[in-house]
Amino acid sequence: MKRTRILIGVVLVAALAVGGYYYWQWRMAPSSVAAAGATKGGGRGPGGPTPVVAAPATQGDIDIIVNGLGTVTPLRTVTVRTRVDGELLRVQFQEGQLVTEGELLAEIDPRAFQVQLAQAEGQLARDRALLENARLDLERYRTLFKQDSIAKQQVDTQASLVRQYEGAVAVDRSQIDNAKLQLAYSRVTAPISGRIGLRLVDPGNIVHAGDQNGLVVITQLQPVALVYTVPQDLLPQVMKRLQGAEPVAVEAWDRDQKAKLADGILASADNQVDPQTGTVKLKAQLPNDDGALFPNQFVNVRMKLDTLRGAVIVPSPAVQRGAQGMFVYVVRPDNTVLLRNVKLGPLDGQRQAIADGLAAGELVVTDGTDRLRPGAPVEVASARPEIKPPAPGTYKGGGRRKGKDGG
């Protein structure tokens, strides 16, 4: 009886082992078939050539561009203040308006200055009459002196009185001019052409010549200045170009460097280098005819410092950085790549000049470099391959989905 139980246990264990083996084979069969199908499908294996995009190195001229960050600065900023005290009667401008030099901006109550002018003119008329009478008396005294009828002292006294009245008339005329000047100052005009800012004083307020804020601020926008910095190492080249006859072209670009805002020329350089940053300030002048630039606006600056003739030029994505320095992948005639260390020249947008290490006409890889190794086989394409979605009703394995009728 005991042997029978042992035999039954052994049979059960063997049955479970056989069943487990066949279950494992059944579970692994679909993935094995799929793996076999994938290998049989003929895809590009790991040992095949790597698809890349390549372009030949060309020879031509490339601009030496100095990039920087600049700030738009008005050539002149004027705070318009009154020169006389009085009530602000009228404001003749709109906030943000473009004004020209000499245009009327505001009017201050002129009545006090008109009264002063009338008083000065009355005083002048009085002193003129006194002067004329003194001159007539002087002529009489001179005649009487010739007849030996009066003393010489009386003639001299009368001549002194005439000069006194002449001085009084001169003072009256200056007072009239001063009253006219004060009356003219009651009309506040624009000292420069530019854009009006926000109004700082409203009509009805009493304004004074000593007010700190003034009436309004005018900034000149046409032309406008652009202040930016360059490394001090470029200072000799910049000063040489400034002293030359040909102007240095300067361009202002937007924040993304996709749209050019304005063109101008380099106007001047600062007289000292900033010791903390090792840079020097430059100022360019731009016409800004369309008003695209605004005071205190930050822009990207591109200054054309010089032009390099006959340089070897490649697309900038072809240049890679590694532990050994800057390099490019050169496609050899047998469609394998060679890692070539290069020395870079100036960069102009997407065009990179190569100073040493590459010759014109050699084919360099511009896309797909992350999958390359020296000596690896490649398949050169004219453009980046596009990944197209599968056609409707198509399985990943390449077969079309069968309909209900099995077609």
Side-chain angles (χ1 to χ4, degrees), residues 222-252:
Q222 297 174 347
V224 73
L226 180 60
V227 178
Y228 57 101
T229 58
V230 296
Q232 61 180 352
D233 299 338
L234 298 176
L235 190 56
Q237 303 178 44
V238 172
M239 297 306 297
K240 183 178 179 181
R241 290 298 309 276
L242 273 175
Q243 296 169 3
E246 185 179 356
V248 181
V250 177
E251 299 176 350

Side-chain angles (χ1 to χ4, degrees), residues 134-199:
R135 284 174 177 173
L136 292 175
D137 289 343
L138 179 60
E139 290 299 326
R140 296 189 189 99
Y141 291 164
R142 285 174 178 173
T143 303
L144 293 174
F145 175 73
K146 290 179 182 179
Q147 297 174 359
D148 200 15
S149 299
I150 60 174
K152 182 69 168 57
Q153 181 181 1
Q154 192 171 357
V155 176
D156 294 340
T157 302
Q158 188 63 29
S160 176
L161 184 60
V162 169
R163 289 192 296 270
Q164 180 181 350
Y165 285 146
E166 287 176 346
V169 169
V171 171
D172 294 340
R173 286 175 178 169
S174 65
Q175 290 179 350
I176 290 176
D177 293 338
N178 180 67
K180 289 181 178 179
L181 184 61
Q182 300 300 313
L183 188 60
Y185 285 161
S186 66
R187 294 171 56 87
V188 182
T189 58
I192 62 171
S193 299
R195 183 183 295 276
I196 288 283
L198 300 179
R199 186 173 66 246

Side-chain angles (χ1 to χ4, degrees), residues 11-263:
V11 171
L12 289 175
V13 171
L16 290 175
V18 172
Y21 171 77
Y22 280 107
Y23 177 77
W24 177 80
Q25 290 287 340
W26 177 76
R27 290 288 293 176
M28 294 299 296
S31 58
S32 301
V33 173
T39 305
K40 188 178 179 180
R44 190 181 301 273
T50 303
V52 295
V53 178
T58 60
Q59 189 170 16
D61 300 339
I62 187 170
D63 295 332
I64 301 178
I65 302 297
V66 177
N67 297 310
L69 184 63
T71 305
V72 179
T73 306
L75 287 181
R76 290 188 292 175
T77 301
V78 177
T79 300
V80 180
R81 295 184 173 91
T82 175
R83 297 188 180 185
V84 294
D85 300 344
E87 180 185 354
L88 183 61
L89 293 182
R90 282 177 293 275
V91 173
Q92 304 290 346
F93 62 86
Q94 299 291 332
E95 295 177 336
Q97 173 187 349
L98 292 175
V99 297
T100 57
E101 183 177 353
E103 184 174 346
L104 180 63
L105 300 180
E107 293 183 47
I108 298 172
D109 189 359
R111 291 174 294 181
F113 312 112
Q114 290 172 351
V115 171
Q116 293 177 6
L117 178 59
Q119 289 177 348
E121 290 175 343
Q123 184 68 28
L124 175 62
R126 175 180 176 274
D127 291 341
R128 274 179 176 175
L130 292 175
L131 174 61
E132 176 132 6
N133 183 60
R135 284 174 177 173
L136 292 175
D137 289 343
L138 179 60
E139 290 299 326
R140 296 189 189 99
Y141 291 164
R142 285 174 178 173
T143 303
L144 293 174
F145 175 73
K146 290 179 182 179
Q147 297 174 359
D148 200 15
S149 299
I150 60 174
K152 182 69 168 57
Q153 181 181 1
Q154 192 171 357
V155 176
D156 294 340
T157 302
Q158 188 63 29
S160 176
L161 184 60
V162 169
R163 289 192 296 270
Q164 180 181 350
Y165 285 146
E166 287 176 346
V169 169
V171 171
D172 294 340
R173 286 175 178 169
S174 65
Q175 290 179 350
I176 290 176
D177 293 338
N178 180 67
K180 289 181 178 179
L181 184 61
Q182 300 300 313
L183 188 60
Y185 285 161
S186 66
R187 294 171 56 87
V188 182
T189 58
I192 62 171
S193 299
R195 183 183 295 276
I196 288 283
L198 300 179
R199 186 173 66 246
L200 303 178
V201 180
D202 296 324
N205 287 280
I206 302 299
V207 294
H208 304 276
D211 292 342
Q212 295 296 324
N213 294 331
L215 303 179
V216 73
V217 177
I218 303 178
T219 54
Q220 182 178 354
L221 300 180
Q222 297 174 347
V224 73
L226 180 60
V227 178
Y228 57 101
T229 58
V230 296
Q232 61 180 352
D233 299 338
L234 298 176
L235 190 56
Q237 303 178 44
V238 172
M239 297 306 297
K240 183 178 179 181
R241 290 298 309 276
L242 273 175
Q243 296 169 3
E246 185 179 356
V248 181
V250 177
E251 299 176 350
W253 291 70
D254 63 354
R255 180 179 300 179
D256 299 329
Q257 296 193 11
K258 295 182 179 179
K260 184 169 67 172
L261 302 177
D263 292 295

Side-chain angles (χ1 to χ4, degrees), residues 330-371:
V330 180
V331 181
R332 294 186 287 195
D334 59 352
N335 284 341
T336 59
V337 292
L338 173 66
L339 189 148
R340 183 86 57 82
N341 291 326
V342 294
K343 184 178 179 181
L344 301 184
L347 174 66
D348 183 10
Q350 294 295 317
R351 303 169 69 236
Q352 174 67 63
I354 303 298
D356 188 22
L358 193 66
E362 290 190 284
L363 203 63
V364 294
V365 178
T366 60
D367 193 5
T369 56
D370 54 339
R371 302 185 299 272

